[in-house]
Amino acid sequence: MTVTEALHAPIADCAIEAAPAQRRQCVGVRVGEGPGSVVMGGGAPIVVQSMTNTDTADVDATVRQVAALARAGSEVVRITVDRAEAAAATPRIKEKLLKMGVFTPIVGDFHYIGHKLLAEFPDCAKALDKYRINPGNVGFREKKDRQFGAIVETAIRHDKAVRIGANWGSLDQELLTGMMDENARSARPLDARAITREALVRSALWSAERAEEIGLPRDRIILSAKVSAVQDLIAAYRMLARRCDYALHLGLTEAGMGTKGIVASSAAMGILLQEGIGDTIRVSLTPEPGGDRTLEVKVAQELLQTMGFRTFVPLVAACPGCGRTTSTVFQELARDIQTWISDSMPQWRKTYPGVESLNVAVMGCIVNGPGESKHADIGISLPGTGETPAAPVFIDGEKALTLRGAGIADEFKGIVADYIERRFGAADRG
């Protein structure tokens, strides 16, 4: 088709659906009981989860961090259960959380001696809502099947879900070596990374098959195959998605710190989610020293909300700034509005049902400001460099008023509050 033909093509030819692929069909898995329980897969909304980095044996520190992650929006929180002291602390952690009104499901992360800890600390086995086991380090040689089986049998006895999480960094070496040797003898050997990806997927699938043979139902099994490279993660999960109907946990392991970790996780998981792959996600960020662990929850939520899968908090669209916006007013207002909304959300969720769908625009000049503000539920176009010192406010696509003077920020915040009360407060009053 020539450019001229393309310009005169029927409008119907341009109607390509701007939406993610249909979600992959898989078995749904309920995790937890009571008000905090969640369903992974089965068409349920994609679940956000995170993990503590406290010493689980430190009950108070772990309780504080689990509560903070839950308040930030983590719908499942994983804790490390690596030794007797951690296993003994787990029931007390769960008890304290419940007394605080934190009902978020707690997952126990087991490696090497999980079978032993679950057997010796039955209260730990009962308190946890899900077990996470890695087939690469659940046991070695002749002990592997026996120890894996012991954990699965405990899960069956207590009706717990299990995530079988194969990991690039702790892959079953016996399996990998055997596959590498077989590949080397092949007339057309594959790249070593391709073999490693296949070994990762096989490890997860074989372990799931073994768990079912022992008696764990399919609706209690979640799989993951986590790696630290974006392209490998995409390839591995595409393979998993084609070859099973288990619920899948997505995550780029060892994603890194700061923007590197955020970009890598978003790029990898964004592609898979767009293809309909993934039922629960974690953004595994390395925190700055003394940094906020809840950042990984916020990034996961923003990824899902930006892609249109879920709605967690009102969106604030803000101008990036340029030579037309030498004033910092719009930057400060965008920051203040975003912070105010984040701080207000815990109460707003109770008082204003549906407020998370709100869309606010804070724009910096006349070029795109009025247009972007009209597309938002409520928006403001601040004066750029050399523009008339006036800030039109648009509500539901219509210009409502114009603000002037030094108190624009506070006035606009009050207008947003009134809009929220008028639009979302009515539902609360019935």
Side-chain angles (χ1 to χ4, degrees):
M1 181 183 290
T2 66
V3 173
T4 301
E5 289 171 334
L7 289 171
H8 293 87
I11 291 177
D13 291 348
C14 305
I16 298 173
E17 179 127 6
Q22 184 176 356
R23 288 276 302 280
R24 163 183 166 271
Q25 297 297 307
C26 68
V27 177
V29 181
R30 181 169 293 280
V31 177
E33 300 175 355
S37 66
V38 296
V39 176
M40 300 176 181
I46 298 164
V47 173
V48 172
Q49 59 180 284
S50 55
M51 184 176 183
T52 59
N53 61 357
T54 56
D55 178 358
T56 306
D58 186 337
V59 172
D60 290 338
T62 303
V63 166
R64 283 195 300 271
Q65 193 170 84
V66 171
L69 291 167
R71 283 194 299 270
S74 184
E75 294 158 307
V76 175
V77 177
R78 183 159 42 117
I79 64 175
T80 298
V81 186
D82 57 344
R83 63 194 197 281
E85 291 82 359
T90 298
R92 288 184 286 145
I93 291 168
K94 187 65 178 284
E95 182 182 2
K96 285 197 169 193
L97 288 167
L98 292 176
K99 286 181 178 178
M100 293 170 61
V102 177
F103 303 105
T104 304
I106 305 299
V107 180
D109 197 51
F110 293 101
H111 298 277
Y112 306 113
I113 59 170
H115 62 291
K116 187 168 181 275
L117 294 174
L118 287 168
E120 293 179 357
F121 296 90
D123 286 346
C124 171
K126 293 176 187 176
L128 292 168
D129 297 289
K130 187 175 78 167
Y131 308 155
R132 188 270 181 170
I133 55 178
N134 184 337
N137 58 28
V138 73
F140 303 99
R141 298 185 178 86
E142 71 282 353
K143 295 180 179 179
K144 181 170 62 177
D145 285 347
R146 184 171 71 251
Q147 293 175 180
F148 177 83
I151 297 176
V152 171
E153 287 168 359
T154 303
I156 295 169
R157 191 161 56 251
H158 294 291
D159 191 25
K160 304 297 183 180
V162 174
R163 172 158 73 93
I164 296 171
N167 193 292
W168 188 277
S170 51
L171 189 54
D172 184 332
Q173 291 303 302
E174 187 178 354
L175 169 64
L176 181 59
T177 299
M179 291 181 62
M180 287 291 188
D181 290 344
E182 180 183 349
N183 183 58
R185 294 191 295 269
S186 171
R188 299 179 64 183
L190 299 174
D191 176 80
R193 292 184 78 86
I195 297 300
T196 305
R197 289 194 297 267
E198 176 63 23
L200 191 73
V201 170
R202 285 192 193 181
S203 177
L205 291 174
W206 285 349
S207 298
E209 183 179 23
R210 176 62 182 140
E212 284 199 67
E213 289 173 354
I214 295 169
L216 188 66
R218 293 178 76 75
D219 65 359
R220 308 306 283 151
I221 299 173
I222 300 149
L223 294 189
S224 65
K226 298 174 80 170
V227 301
S228 56
V230 169
Q231 296 298 340
D232 288 316
L233 189 87
I234 295 167
Y237 273 93
R238 283 173 173 166
M239 292 161 67
L240 260 184
R242 285 195 299 266
R243 290 155 67 173
C244 76
D245 65 351
Y246 296 109
L248 298 181
H249 167 88
L250 294 189
L252 191 73
T253 190
E254 293 105 25
M257 183 180 287
T259 55
K260 186 268 180 187
I262 292 171
V263 171
S265 291
S266 299
M269 289 194 284
I271 289 171
L272 291 167
L273 291 168
Q274 184 70 16
E275 294 178 3
I277 300 170
D279 304 292
T280 176
I281 68 170
R282 181 192 172 203
V283 176
S284 301
L285 295 180
T286 303
E288 299 282 350
D292 184 0
R293 187 66 166 181
T294 64
L295 176 61
E296 65 177 46
V297 179
K298 296 170 186 173
V299 172
Q301 288 183 327
E302 287 178 9
L303 173 61
L304 293 176
Q305 182 155 338
T306 299
M307 294 190 70
F309 290 107
R310 292 193 60 185
T311 304
F312 297 98
V313 296
L315 284 177
V316 178
C319 167
C322 66
R324 296 186 298 272
T325 55
T326 53
S327 167
T328 61
V329 174
F330 80 94
Q331 297 168 331
E332 292 163 357
L333 181 57
R335 180 198 60 202
D336 290 350
I337 291 293
Q338 186 72 70
T339 301
W340 174 59
I341 286 174
S342 296
D343 291 344
S344 302
M345 275 307 293
Q347 182 58 44
W348 282 358
R349 284 192 186 97
K350 302 173 186 176
T351 310
Y352 303 116
V355 70
E356 62 274 5
S357 65
L358 180 69
N359 191 347
V360 180
V362 179
M363 305 305 294
C365 78
I366 201 170
V367 174
N368 290 319
E372 290 287 349
S373 296
K374 287 177 184 177
H375 287 302
D377 294 316
I378 181 166
I380 186 169
S381 179
L382 294 161
T385 304
E387 294 177 9
T388 303
V393 175
F394 297 82
I395 298 176
D396 293 329
E398 300 291 336
K399 183 178 175 182
L401 70 160
T402 299
L403 302 180
R404 293 181 173 84
I408 286 177
D410 287 337
E411 287 184 63
F412 183 65
K413 197 180 294 184
I415 293 168
V416 173
D418 290 342
Y419 180 87
I420 290 171
E421 171 63 31
R422 187 171 65 254
R423 177 174 168 184
F424 300 102
D428 184 58
R429 291 190 294 268

